[in-house]
């Protein structure tokens, strides 16, 4: 920033005394910086609404790749009020993706239900993963195409042809090379499996990389991979799967480094002898860290958090959550699935009973949020407030990041607001 000139002497102040505007060196630059600083503080959804009603210079700024990155960085660092945090969900063979505010879930009184905003796609799509405000969607019907979608801006990339069916897959961000990548273990029409990675960009295509360490249907595998989609840990550039021993209580984490495109493995939290081994834990993300929840003694759940990525010694027992009659389902071997924790005391989770629940870690109380999903068009499912059914959830951070920022043609016609028929 240029330093402004020192005040004018009285004998040079004729213009000022006559009421004329006096400009000083650096003011235009200063104003530009102030305007950008102000715009960076406005929520992404508000900027999208304002974009078409502001001057061209502001519109150009808001639409730029650099501003989108700066806005995302700032909002993720200071979003203590959860202004930008959203929860998206889908159900297989359904073209609707519902989205609602995480902040509303934590704040809503019983008389003010959280509203779901539904979007309808041209095809039925599932969510592979989310990163920096982008959701990666896979075609459910043919499983041969994937797109990137920013629900905040409404823009999607053109469909990416996969040429096969995904068995395992994951979407994430290579922070070293500033690239978004899609990993897939693809089953070809011949039945052969191949591990491929796609880097989103103007000239990118599929590349074959080293085989996924655990080959499909291989009886010699000492462990099996839990879950189809890998969990992306922001800042590490890694996708992660939980491994379970086939003939032992062995539990580990398989990591795929999207930067180096290599594999590694490290220990998961050790399971106590009192753990209910018939209920196998699942891998989740909590506060940007890997999280594992285990059922212990059939009386409570133990929530573990890996505070330093890749360091087994950093697994920390974050909370113990007692079984509650409204949370358990004795007929199903499901574990509590953590989704988000507010200020280290209130946990949003999916309970084994199939309901979303807020658990107060300090006093053990629970609360079922009131979510109005009547507009989501999923008529075969119960309302969200009564149970999630087969809905699958992803938490993401609203942003202005667009597929066009990294050279991909984008459009706004693939996903549109769903308007239920009356």
């Amino acid at each position: 920033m240029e330093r402004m000139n020192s005040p004018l002497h009285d004998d040079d102040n004729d213009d000022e005394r006559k009421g004329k505007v006096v400009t000083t060196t650096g003011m235009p630059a200063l104003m530009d910086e102030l305007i950008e600083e102000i715009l960076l503080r406005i929520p992404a959804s508000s900027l999208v609404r304002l974009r078409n009603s502001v001057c061209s210079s502001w519109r150009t700024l808001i639409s730029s790749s650099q501003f989108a990155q700066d806005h995302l960085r700032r909002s993720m660092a200071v979003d203590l009020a959860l202004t930008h945090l959203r929860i998206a969900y889908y159900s297989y063979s359904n073209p609707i993706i519902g989205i609602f505010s995480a902040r509303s879930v934590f704040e809503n009184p019983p008389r003010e239900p959280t509203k779901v905003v539904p979007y309808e796609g041209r095809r039925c799509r599932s969510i592979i993963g989310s990163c920096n405000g982008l959701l990666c969607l896979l075609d459910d019907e043919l499983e041969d195409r994937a797109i990137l979608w920013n629900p905040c801006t409404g823009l999607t990339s053109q469909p990416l042809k996969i040429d096969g069916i995904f068995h395992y897959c994951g979407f994430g961000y290579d922070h070293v090379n500033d690239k978004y990548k899609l990993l897939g273990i693809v089953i070809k029409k011949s039945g052969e499996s191949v591990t491929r990675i796609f880097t989103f960009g103007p000239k990118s295509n599929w590349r074959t990389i080293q085989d996924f360490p655990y080959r499909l249907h291989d009886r010699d595998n000492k462990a099996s991979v839990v879950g189809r989609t890998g969990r992306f840990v922001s800042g590490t550039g890694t996708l992660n799967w939980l491994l379970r021993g086939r003939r032992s209580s062995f539990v580990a984490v398989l990591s795929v480094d999207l930067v180096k495109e290599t594999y590694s493995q490290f220990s998961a939290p050790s399971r106590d002898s009192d753990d209910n081994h018939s209920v196998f834990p699942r891998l989740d993300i909590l506060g940007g860290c890997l999280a594992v929840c285990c059922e212990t003694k059939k009386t409570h759940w133990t929530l573990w958090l890996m505070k330093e990525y890749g360091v087994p010694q950093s697994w920390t027992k974050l909370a113990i959550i007692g079984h509650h009659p409204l949370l358990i389902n004795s007929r199903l071997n499901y574990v509590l699935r953590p989704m988000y924790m507010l200020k280290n005391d209130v946990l949003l989770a999916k309970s084994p009973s199939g309901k979303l629940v807020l658990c107060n870690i300090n006093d053990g109380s629970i609360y079922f949020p009131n979510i109005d999903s009547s507009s989501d068009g999923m008529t075969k499912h119960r309302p969200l407030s009564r149970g999630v059914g087969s809905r699958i959830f992803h938490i993401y951070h609203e942003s202005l990041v667009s597929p066009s920022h990294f050279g991909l043609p984008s459009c706004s016609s693939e996903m549109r607001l769903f308007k239920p028929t009356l």
Side-chain angles (χ1 to χ4, degrees), residues 341-354:
M341 179 171 281
L342 181 65
K343 298 179 180 178
N344 290 327
D345 56 9
V346 180
L347 175 72
L348 173 64
K350 178 182 175 182
S351 70
S353 66

PDB file of all heavy atoms in Angstrom, residues 341-354:
ATOM      1  N   MET A 341     -18.787 -31.250  15.533  1.00  0.00           N
ATOM      2  CA  MET A 341     -18.803 -30.892  16.953  1.00  0.00           C
ATOM      3  C   MET A 341     -18.661 -29.391  17.108  1.00  0.00           C
ATOM      4  O   MET A 341     -17.784 -28.767  16.509  1.00  0.00           O
ATOM      5  CB  MET A 341     -17.686 -31.607  17.726  1.00  0.00           C
ATOM      6  CG  MET A 341     -17.664 -31.243  19.215  1.00  0.00           C
ATOM      7  SD  MET A 341     -16.549 -32.260  20.192  1.00  0.00           S
ATOM      8  CE  MET A 341     -17.531 -33.738  20.382  1.00  0.00           C
ATOM      9  N   LEU A 342     -19.547 -28.809  17.927  1.00  0.00           N
ATOM     10  CA  LEU A 342     -19.543 -27.371  18.168  1.00  0.00           C
ATOM     11  C   LEU A 342     -18.868 -27.075  19.500  1.00  0.00           C
ATOM     12  O   LEU A 342     -19.325 -27.516  20.562  1.00  0.00           O
ATOM     13  CB  LEU A 342     -20.986 -26.847  18.182  1.00  0.00           C
ATOM     14  CG  LEU A 342     -21.166 -25.343  18.390  1.00  0.00           C
ATOM     15  CD1 LEU A 342     -20.576 -24.569  17.215  1.00  0.00           C
ATOM     16  CD2 LEU A 342     -22.640 -25.011  18.560  1.00  0.00           C
ATOM     17  N   LYS A 343     -17.746 -26.337  19.433  1.00  0.00           N
ATOM     18  CA  LYS A 343     -17.033 -25.864  20.628  1.00  0.00           C
ATOM     19  C   LYS A 343     -16.690 -26.986  21.606  1.00  0.00           C
ATOM     20  O   LYS A 343     -16.678 -26.803  22.821  1.00  0.00           O
ATOM     21  CB  LYS A 343     -17.862 -24.801  21.355  1.00  0.00           C
ATOM     22  CG  LYS A 343     -18.122 -23.559  20.519  1.00  0.00           C
ATOM     23  CD  LYS A 343     -18.966 -22.556  21.275  1.00  0.00           C
ATOM     24  CE  LYS A 343     -19.235 -21.319  20.437  1.00  0.00           C
ATOM     25  NZ  LYS A 343     -20.092 -20.331  21.122  1.00  0.00           N
ATOM     26  N   ASN A 344     -16.423 -28.177  21.071  1.00  0.00           N
ATOM     27  CA  ASN A 344     -15.993 -29.319  21.885  1.00  0.00           C
ATOM     28  C   ASN A 344     -16.988 -29.731  22.959  1.00  0.00           C
ATOM     29  O   ASN A 344     -16.611 -30.368  23.941  1.00  0.00           O
ATOM     30  CB  ASN A 344     -14.634 -29.033  22.545  1.00  0.00           C
ATOM     31  CG  ASN A 344     -13.509 -29.005  21.538  1.00  0.00           C
ATOM     32  OD1 ASN A 344     -13.538 -29.730  20.550  1.00  0.00           O
ATOM     33  ND2 ASN A 344     -12.520 -28.165  21.768  1.00  0.00           N
ATOM     34  N   ASP A 345     -18.265 -29.382  22.787  1.00  0.00           N
ATOM     35  CA  ASP A 345     -19.218 -29.837  23.800  1.00  0.00           C
ATOM     36  C   ASP A 345     -20.544 -30.356  23.239  1.00  0.00           C
ATOM     37  O   ASP A 345     -21.215 -31.133  23.889  1.00  0.00           O
ATOM     38  CB  ASP A 345     -19.486 -28.739  24.846  1.00  0.00           C
ATOM     39  CG  ASP A 345     -19.984 -27.441  24.220  1.00  0.00           C
ATOM     40  OD1 ASP A 345     -20.277 -27.445  23.019  1.00  0.00           O
ATOM     41  OD2 ASP A 345     -20.065 -26.441  24.956  1.00  0.00           O
ATOM     42  N   VAL A 346     -20.929 -29.947  22.025  1.00  0.00           N
ATOM     43  CA  VAL A 346     -22.171 -30.447  21.437  1.00  0.00           C
ATOM     44  C   VAL A 346     -21.847 -31.155  20.124  1.00  0.00           C
ATOM     45  O   VAL A 346     -21.290 -30.551  19.207  1.00  0.00           O
ATOM     46  CB  VAL A 346     -23.186 -29.319  21.192  1.00  0.00           C
ATOM     47  CG1 VAL A 346     -24.457 -29.887  20.579  1.00  0.00           C
ATOM     48  CG2 VAL A 346     -23.514 -28.593  22.493  1.00  0.00           C
ATOM     49  N   LEU A 347     -22.189 -32.433  20.049  1.00  0.00           N
ATOM     50  CA  LEU A 347     -21.866 -33.263  18.894  1.00  0.00           C
ATOM     51  C   LEU A 347     -23.122 -33.553  18.092  1.00  0.00           C
ATOM     52  O   LEU A 347     -24.129 -34.022  18.633  1.00  0.00           O
ATOM     53  CB  LEU A 347     -21.243 -34.581  19.364  1.00  0.00           C
ATOM     54  CG  LEU A 347     -20.948 -35.630  18.273  1.00  0.00           C
ATOM     55  CD1 LEU A 347     -19.769 -35.192  17.410  1.00  0.00           C
ATOM     56  CD2 LEU A 347     -20.686 -37.001  18.900  1.00  0.00           C
ATOM     57  N   LEU A 348     -23.067 -33.266  16.798  1.00  0.00           N
ATOM     58  CA  LEU A 348     -24.121 -33.689  15.873  1.00  0.00           C
ATOM     59  C   LEU A 348     -23.719 -35.045  15.317  1.00  0.00           C
ATOM     60  O   LEU A 348     -22.606 -35.219  14.812  1.00  0.00           O
ATOM     61  CB  LEU A 348     -24.278 -32.679  14.737  1.00  0.00           C
ATOM     62  CG  LEU A 348     -25.233 -33.081  13.598  1.00  0.00           C
ATOM     63  CD1 LEU A 348     -26.662 -33.224  14.102  1.00  0.00           C
ATOM     64  CD2 LEU A 348     -25.151 -32.082  12.451  1.00  0.00           C
ATOM     65  N   ALA A 349     -24.604 -36.015  15.411  1.00  0.00           N
ATOM     66  CA  ALA A 349     -24.274 -37.374  14.984  1.00  0.00           C
ATOM     67  C   ALA A 349     -25.498 -38.060  14.392  1.00  0.00           C
ATOM     68  O   ALA A 349     -26.640 -37.642  14.613  1.00  0.00           O
ATOM     69  CB  ALA A 349     -23.735 -38.188  16.161  1.00  0.00           C
ATOM     70  N   LYS A 350     -25.222 -39.114  13.638  1.00  0.00           N
ATOM     71  CA  LYS A 350     -26.273 -40.009  13.163  1.00  0.00           C
ATOM     72  C   LYS A 350     -26.293 -41.204  14.099  1.00  0.00           C
ATOM     73  O   LYS A 350     -25.294 -41.913  14.237  1.00  0.00           O
ATOM     74  CB  LYS A 350     -25.991 -40.447  11.721  1.00  0.00           C
ATOM     75  CG  LYS A 350     -27.015 -41.411  11.160  1.00  0.00           C
ATOM     76  CD  LYS A 350     -26.649 -41.844   9.740  1.00  0.00           C
ATOM     77  CE  LYS A 350     -27.607 -42.905   9.224  1.00  0.00           C
ATOM     78  NZ  LYS A 350     -27.233 -43.369   7.862  1.00  0.00           N
ATOM     79  N   SER A 351     -27.395 -41.427  14.765  1.00  0.00           N
ATOM     80  CA  SER A 351     -27.476 -42.474  15.779  1.00  0.00           C
ATOM     81  C   SER A 351     -27.815 -43.820  15.149  1.00  0.00           C
ATOM     82  O   SER A 351     -28.378 -43.888  14.048  1.00  0.00           O
ATOM     83  CB  SER A 351     -28.536 -42.109  16.824  1.00  0.00           C
ATOM     84  OG  SER A 351     -29.832 -42.200  16.236  1.00  0.00           O
ATOM     85  N   PRO A 352     -27.498 -44.920  15.835  1.00  0.00           N
ATOM     86  CA  PRO A 352     -27.856 -46.248  15.321  1.00  0.00           C
ATOM     87  C   PRO A 352     -29.363 -46.429  15.144  1.00  0.00           C
ATOM     88  O   PRO A 352     -29.795 -47.271  14.360  1.00  0.00           O
ATOM     89  CB  PRO A 352     -27.309 -47.190  16.404  1.00  0.00           C
ATOM     90  CG  PRO A 352     -26.185 -46.426  17.023  1.00  0.00           C
ATOM     91  CD  PRO A 352     -26.637 -45.000  17.020  1.00  0.00           C
ATOM     92  N   SER A 353     -30.163 -45.630  15.852  1.00  0.00           N
ATOM     93  CA  SER A 353     -31.614 -45.721  15.703  1.00  0.00           C
ATOM     94  C   SER A 353     -32.089 -45.066  14.414  1.00  0.00           C
ATOM     95  O   SER A 353     -33.268 -45.158  14.067  1.00  0.00           O
ATOM     96  CB  SER A 353     -32.309 -45.050  16.897  1.00  0.00           C
ATOM     97  OG  SER A 353     -32.053 -43.646  16.915  1.00  0.00           O
ATOM     98  N   GLY A 354     -31.167 -44.379  13.709  1.00  0.00           N
ATOM     99  CA  GLY A 354     -31.507 -43.788  12.433  1.00  0.00           C
ATOM    100  C   GLY A 354     -31.933 -42.340  12.509  1.00  0.00           C
ATOM    101  O   GLY A 354     -32.453 -41.791  11.539  1.00  0.00           O
TER     102      GLY A 354
END
